[in-house]
Amino acid sequence: VNLIIRSCLPLTTFLSQQGLALLHLYPLKPCKALDICLMVAGVFCACAFTVAKIMGSPGNNHEGSNQALGCIMCIASLLCGSVNLALAGMLGEMKL
């Protein structure tokens, strides 16, 4: 499940870059509708897989809550990683 969630990194990185561009900290990237649609479709498929994996796992209800907590922590890691990539790109393009 962790790798499936981590495969959503391109969309969150793009959103982080666009958010930084709104704050005038990063150059605005052109976005193509097809690219965005494909990334969103991939995120929906990852969400469907993750929910199916949690719902289909044998065990008691306590184990499902542990898996949900793991998914939340993986998503938080994903968001931090995407901001890290966007900031690294921003700092790499700065002229000192």
Side-chain angles (χ1 to χ4, degrees), residues 44-66:
F44 280 129
C45 290
C47 290
F49 171 81
T50 303
V51 169
K53 181 79 170 172
I54 290 173
M55 296 298 208
S57 65
N60 55 16
N61 290 337
H62 183 69
E63 185 177 322
S65 65
N66 286 341

Side-chain angles (χ1 to χ4, degrees), residues 12-44:
T12 58
T13 302
F14 174 76
L15 294 175
S16 298
Q17 289 172 345
Q18 297 300 83
L20 288 173
L22 291 176
L23 299 172
H24 304 292
L25 298 173
Y26 198 83
L28 189 63
K29 297 276 186 179
C31 58
K32 297 178 184 172
L34 179 62
D35 292 344
I36 301 300
C37 289
L38 290 174
M39 286 190 283
V40 169
V43 169
F44 280 129

Side-chain angles (χ1 to χ4, degrees), residues 5 8 12-13 19 21 39-40 49 59 74 76-77 79 90 94-95:
I5 294 173
C8 301
T12 58
T13 302
M39 286 190 283
V40 169
F49 171 81
C74 188
S77 169
L79 295 176
M90 180 187 71
M94 288 179 63
K95 305 286 185 221

